[in-house]
Amino acid sequence: MKRSLFIIIVLSLVPPFAAHSTAKAVADTEATIYRDEYGIPHVFAPTLEAACFAIGYAQAEDRLEELLKNYRRAAGTMSEVFGPEHYRNDMIQRMWRHAEISRARYDQVSPELRKAFEAFQDGVKLFMKERPERVPSWAQQLHPSDIIALSRYIIWGWPMGEAAGDLQRAGIRPDPIAYRGSNQMLIAPNRTAMGAAIAVIDPHLSWYDEFRFYEVRIYAGDFNVSGVSILGIPLPSLGHSRYCSVAMTTGGPDTSDIFEEEINPQNPRQYRYDGKWRDMEVRKDKVGVKTGDRVDWKEIEIEYTHHGPVVARKGGKAYTMAIPYANEVGLSDQIYQMMTARNLDEMKRALSALQLMAQNVMVGTTQGDIYYLRNGRVPVRAEGVDPSRPIPGNTSSTEWKGIHPLSDLVQITNPSSGYMHNCNVTPFAMMKDSPLTPEKYAARPYLYNATRTRPRHQRGEMMTDLLDAATRVTEEQAIDIAFNPQVWHAELWQARVKLSWEKASVAARTADNKVIYEAIQKWNRRSEAESTGAMAFYAFKKGLGGATGGAADPPATLTDEEVIAALGKAAEWLKTNFGSLEVPYGRYFRVGREGGDRTWPVGGGSLRGGDNNVGMATPRAISFRQVQYPNRKGGGSSEMVGRGGQTSTQIVILTNPPKSYAVIPLGESDHKESGHFDDQAEKLFSKSKAAPTYFLDREALMKHVTAKKVLKRGRASQANR
């Protein structure tokens, strides 16, 4: 009887408990997306899983086609949809087996992130179900491991670029690797007005294709992050949390090598190793290539030694590329650990996983620490091996001996300078009197992988001068540093032009030449959008041409006659192209989206190299492409329109909690009708501004909300305001 009573009591308790569990489960899957006036999603959810579901929906709502393309890029399936121009890239991704390895090792990703990734893709699928007209006909099936494959694909250009340099030094021309640059700065609390560290996060990449970042703010339990992510990946990798900021720039230790394999003359698919011939592994695959309405499937065979894939053959030798990330799938887990680190010690533990590509990493904390790491997954090379050139692959004596731990890498915490930056420069150029000298790493020079003087350049030198002079830095000054358009050593050119002008004959001092001369002399040396002096200086350097025009400093060989002639050429070019000698810099240098209807004036830029080599690179990095307007009447039939450079600039004041500002150069959405197609180009980027992120300030955010969407796994409701 007692037992029966016990059963009845237990059963009577089950329904209310089950109802409570169901209600909690529903609540745990609910997420709210608030969109601000720039269309940036601010996601609030009780769990990371629920937040990622909403982020997937938001990314698909804004840029579904580009998201799907990113997964195709990583899997090597672009050419079957978009044609033969993608075939070579597809071949490279098949060679590295991003999709295959990611799917096979997906269970090595932490359970928490697997749930988050699956929820993210469920959010993408929900949007596709709700808006089938937005789904391209070529949309593929999604798998959560696509996120891991995409993470691998995104970082792969850096180690491939390092190894490609080794090939070049062996006289073999590899596939070209796109330039990747960035800025990052940290200012210590004793140099700021608010007594907190300030970070500037400023990657420089293409404004199109896979590196077009997506802005997001996430509040999910203890995961509170503002930053930017790669489209198709839910978690930001650049930005800040409640406790730390994370920035990265290109540069770092040498992580990857080329091995020169000795090939059997009787069998081209055998290579010698420790006195014996080994068979290469040959993997077969098919790559589709669309031509017209037909897809042709090309069978390919990819050769591997135990060092890696064969990437070249020359003179009876095969060259294999060895990348220490080849079998790694832990990058997403590391990013998660970095974005949940509460202090510098926890950040270092996260970084010690060594999943990030070779980068200059800078971390600021709300506790006031500023930290630099020359990061990378760096093999321990055998004694006597030169990793800057192809390494003999026929002997075990040259094999890698493991991976250098974090403690071996170049790093510094809280330098006495009170600031540091890395604008793609040698560690010796990050601050005045830098203690990070290459001599300290003479035993393992590949860890430093630079010299005292290389790489150094105009953009980095100007930043050192700006930071060294900065004291009691305010928010406004930090934003100016992030968008600074000052031209390093322009004062030397002004003095050189003045010297030549004062010695010139009366005949040489024409009225037009005088206008250009005076504009250059009065110029404040900042290439601001409204500056006629900046445009006069640009035209003058263009008139000098060649190596002289591209020089940062006036060459000793420059003659007075060349200076005066360049003034004349500048005047002629301005009148011919713009119908005036007084032309604002921003009339020619513009920002706007490809396919858009408008462009806007912009300041700064990296005007070095190629046809635009005028030695006028500013800390504010923008690369331009000339766009012609053949039917435009009057002057100015062409514009230089930005297409790369400052990709997603963030200024972080590391108070407790942090306060931050952010901008992307174009807009958050790919849809013209959204209002966020190019609104940031017009209202922020062209004006050298960044918008507040309202981080952890819900009251302030609510004053700027333009749309609200509540999502539950499998259904959505929306209210606009």
Side-chain angles (χ1 to χ4, degrees), residues 164-174 258 311-314 317 319 390:
D166 301 348
L167 273 181
Q168 285 182 313
R169 285 182 281 274
I172 299 172
R173 186 174 182 178
I258 294 292
V311 296
R313 287 178 180 262
K314 180 183 178 183
K317 305 284 188 181
Y319 294 86

Side-chain angles (χ1 to χ4, degrees), residues 265-283:
Q266 307 303 316
N267 184 346
R269 284 185 166 167
Q270 285 187 330
Y271 65 104
R272 186 185 296 277
Y273 187 73
D274 281 348
K276 297 179 181 180
W277 295 116
R278 282 191 176 187
D279 291 329
M280 292 182 181
E281 179 185 3
V282 180
R283 291 179 175 268

Side-chain angles (χ1 to χ4, degrees), residues 304-359:
Y304 298 82
T305 73
H306 70 283
H307 294 123
V310 175
V311 296
R313 287 178 180 262
K314 180 183 178 183
K317 305 284 188 181
Y319 294 86
T320 53
M321 189 173 286
I323 290 181
Y325 304 91
N327 294 306
E328 300 298 311
V329 294
L331 179 58
S332 296
D333 274 306
Q334 178 176 319
I335 294 296
Y336 174 78
Q337 295 298 329
M338 291 169 66
M339 288 302 181
T340 53
R342 294 168 295 179
N343 51 52
L344 186 55
D345 285 342
E346 291 186 8
M347 180 64 73
K348 288 180 180 180
R349 282 199 290 274
L351 288 165
S352 68
L354 301 173
Q355 296 293 297
L356 281 171
M357 64 286 200
Q359 290 282 280

Side-chain angles (χ1 to χ4, degrees), residues 388-444:
S388 68
R389 304 185 65 82
I391 297 169
N394 61 357
T395 171
S396 57
S397 66
T398 60
E399 293 286 0
W400 292 345
K401 309 301 180 185
I403 299 295
H404 281 282
L406 185 82
S407 57
D408 284 355
L409 304 183
V410 181
Q411 55 194 290
I412 190 169
T413 303
N414 299 327
S416 59
S417 61
Y419 71 87
M420 52 184 167
H421 76 86
N422 197 294
C423 300
N424 311 124
V425 297
T426 169
F428 188 69
M430 299 197 324
M431 61 200 92
K432 293 284 178 72
D433 303 317
S434 171
L436 298 178
T437 61
E439 293 80 10
K440 293 180 180 179
Y441 300 88
R444 300 285 190 185

Side-chain angles (χ1 to χ4, degrees), residues 129-245:
K129 181 180 179 180
E130 289 184 350
R131 298 295 301 273
E133 76 281 4
R134 289 274 184 93
V135 181
S137 60
W138 47 263
Q140 69 273 40
Q141 292 291 319
L142 302 183
H143 189 280
S145 64
D146 296 336
I147 297 168
I148 304 301
L150 178 55
S151 299
R152 285 169 54 95
Y153 167 76
I154 287 296
I155 73 169
W156 228 251
W158 280 272
M160 281 186 64
E162 295 165 20
D166 301 348
L167 273 181
Q168 285 182 313
R169 285 182 281 274
I172 299 172
R173 186 174 182 178
D175 288 342
I177 302 293
Y179 171 78
R180 299 183 175 104
S182 301
N183 286 351
Q184 59 182 351
M185 310 95 179
L186 282 172
I187 306 173
N190 63 355
R191 279 181 171 258
T192 70
M194 66 289 299
I198 296 177
V200 175
I201 305 163
D202 189 22
H204 302 160
L205 299 159
S206 172
W207 294 352
Y208 300 94
D209 302 322
E210 63 266 30
F211 285 111
R212 187 157 60 91
F213 285 113
Y214 187 81
E215 276 194 81
V216 67
R217 326 281 177 238
I218 307 171
Y219 305 99
D222 61 354
F223 192 87
N224 298 295
V225 172
S226 172
V228 293
S229 58
I230 293 293
L231 205 62
I233 298 174
L235 304 186
S237 54
L238 296 172
H240 69 92
S241 68
R242 170 71 175 74
Y243 303 101
C244 302
S245 65

